[in-house]
Amino acid sequence: MQNKKYWHGLLVRTKDRLSYEDHWFPFPFLLPLMLFLCIYGQFLPDLNPRRKNLSHVLHLKGDLQPKKALWLAISPYKNSLLINTSDQQDLLIPQKITKPSDLAPLKSYLTAKMQQIALSATLEKEADPGASLIILAVDKTLKYYHLRPFLYILAEVGISEYAFETLVPEEEENS
Amino acid sequence: MMTISPMLQSKILKTKKRLSNNTWQHYCVFLGFFSALLVASFCLRISAMTAKYEMVTASIPIMSVPLKFPAALRQVGEKFGQIDQNSPVIVFGIHDFVFGHLKNFTKDLASDTNKHRISHEDGTPQAANLVADLKKWHEDQQKLFKIKNPGFVILLPQDSLPVAIILQVIQFLKGSGLYSKIILGSDIF
């Protein structure tokens, strides 16, 4: 009997509440919408492409980077060189190259990328000169002998224009 | 005594009832939530945004090969220059810069008189002196032997040099206006 009274009272109160306009009702729908917009708007289109990059590049003012270019980060990792690519692949290469097969993972990656660029240029009937430019984000602790094998691989794969990434110093950025 | 109309009375009662309900708490909760979302979006932008990066360019020379494929002849790349025996070369060592023509590091490698040396001071490469000497050297070569500055230089750094210093020298050479293309090489040591 008491239960019945409780439910009856609840029903009457709900009826009364719903009988007049209540302005807060769209908010429960807006909550997931705002959360979705916040997460989608921040993460998916503009995720920092350098979030896995371990290389600390030189602070130097250089030339502007093109929008479309291959990007590789080269940083020391234990006794090897860790290469992060722009499509979030990680390659490990020994610091001292003793045989050509040491560079095979990098060579196959770059070959596949060049084929992709050539295919898209053929399909679009338009070649973007910046598309085959490769930007190397080389850690400033590395020496030239670490870098030399990469230059040979670039030449072998058919890349003739390459660049080294630099970080614009803060005072230059603000000016 | 003024009597309140029944309509106004019912409105006052309804307003009292509405205000006595705790729906204003919902406004505060949602306002707080949206403010938190706004703050969170700024924090998320920190993870999404990156610092400003630029680049120092270098080139690898291409060997021209005659193609028999007719369609390829319609698209011919512009030739920037040609590497020959008079192309300028800068050897970037640990103790000094040495520059000269390519033939001076190949055929006439043993001779000392055909190369120019600029020593580093306290281990610091004197890039400004190098550029000044290069400018004068190119002018002299143009006057005496009609050898023009081709607009590119072959840079041969020593293996043990840090990449950071090599990049600074490359950017300095490009910024001087003498060369627009730098070709990195190796294996002279």
Side-chain angles (χ1 to χ4, degrees), chain A residues 16 20 23 31 34 42 46 48 50 61-63 65 142-145 148 152 160 162-164 166 168, chain B residues 17 21 27 33 37 44-45 47-48 50 52-56 58 60 159-161 163 167 185-187:
Chain A
D16 189 41
Y20 57 85
H23 297 285
L31 282 177
M34 289 295 291
Q42 302 307 324
D46 199 21
N48 186 352
R50 291 172 177 80
K61 182 114 178 65
D63 306 324
Q65 286 191 8
L142 293 177
K143 306 265 193 243
Y144 189 54
Y145 62 80
R148 255 189 331 156
Y152 289 125
S160 63
Y162 64 100
F164 298 99
T166 58
V168 178
Chain B
K17 205 173 196 178
N21 290 343
Y27 287 110
F33 187 75
L37 274 181
L44 288 171
R45 283 300 288 168
S47 64
T50 174
K52 197 171 173 204
Y53 292 92
E54 289 182 347
M55 63 182 187
V56 173
I60 295 174
D159 276 354
S160 53
L161 285 169
V163 172
L167 295 189
S186 70
D187 283 334

Side-chain angles (χ1 to χ4, degrees), chain A:
Chain A
M1 192 64 187
Q2 266 185 341
N3 261 348
K4 233 183 172 178
K5 260 190 177 174
Y6 169 75
W7 286 110
H8 181 72
L10 190 64
L11 193 68
V12 165
R13 284 199 298 277
T14 310
K15 238 175 140 181
D16 189 41
R17 185 169 58 82
L18 294 173
S19 64
Y20 57 85
E21 219 175 293
D22 210 342
H23 297 285
W24 64 271
F25 78 90
F27 287 102
F29 160 70
L30 286 178
L31 282 177
L33 179 69
M34 289 295 291
L35 206 61
F36 170 74
L37 284 175
C38 197
I39 291 172
Y40 182 81
Q42 302 307 324
F43 279 137
L44 289 179
D46 199 21
L47 204 50
N48 186 352
R50 291 172 177 80
R51 62 191 181 281
K52 282 170 79 176
N53 179 17
L54 297 176
S55 69
H56 300 284
V57 297
L58 179 66
H59 283 63
L60 187 67
K61 182 114 178 65
D63 306 324
L64 288 173
Q65 286 191 8
K67 284 186 183 158
K68 254 188 182 181
L70 294 170
W71 179 85
L72 287 182
I74 306 165
S75 46
Y77 181 74
K78 293 177 187 173
N79 289 330
S80 312
L81 290 176
L82 178 65
I83 301 170
N84 302 118
T85 66
S86 49
D87 45 7
Q88 304 304 313
Q89 283 188 43
D90 293 337
L91 307 168
L92 263 181
I93 291 200
Q95 282 202 13
K96 279 195 176 164
I97 309 289
T98 49
K99 48 190 188 304
S101 57
D102 289 341
L103 288 168
L106 178 63
K107 190 179 169 188
S108 54
Y109 171 77
L110 287 175
T111 309
K113 273 286 171 191
M114 290 305 286
Q115 283 172 356
Q116 207 178 347
I117 291 168
L119 183 64
S120 63
T122 309
L123 291 172
E124 288 169 21
K125 293 183 186 171
E126 197 178 48
D128 182 2
S132 63
L133 171 75
I134 187 162
I135 299 175
L136 304 172
V138 182
D139 192 273
K140 53 189 173 189
T141 57
L142 293 177
K143 306 265 193 243
Y144 189 54
Y145 62 80
H146 293 121
L147 184 65
R148 255 189 331 156
F150 290 91
L151 303 185
Y152 289 125
I153 287 291
L154 293 184
E156 220 175 298
V157 161
I159 296 172
S160 63
E161 293 294 326
Y162 64 100
F164 298 99
E165 187 171 82
T166 58
L167 181 60
V168 178
E170 270 181 32
E171 45 286 357
E172 296 274 0
E173 205 177 339
N174 295 332
S175 63

Side-chain angles (χ1 to χ4, degrees), chain B residues 5-40:
Chain B
S5 70
M7 210 166 72
L8 189 60
Q9 228 173 13
S10 116
K11 268 200 171 162
I12 290 169
L13 267 170
K14 274 189 180 165
T15 310
K16 263 189 180 170
K17 205 173 196 178
R18 192 167 51 83
L19 290 174
S20 67
N21 290 343
N22 292 334
T23 53
W24 60 269
Q25 281 181 355
H26 297 290
Y27 287 110
C28 289
V29 166
F30 294 125
L31 201 63
F33 187 75
F34 291 142
S35 314
L37 274 181
L38 193 68
V39 170

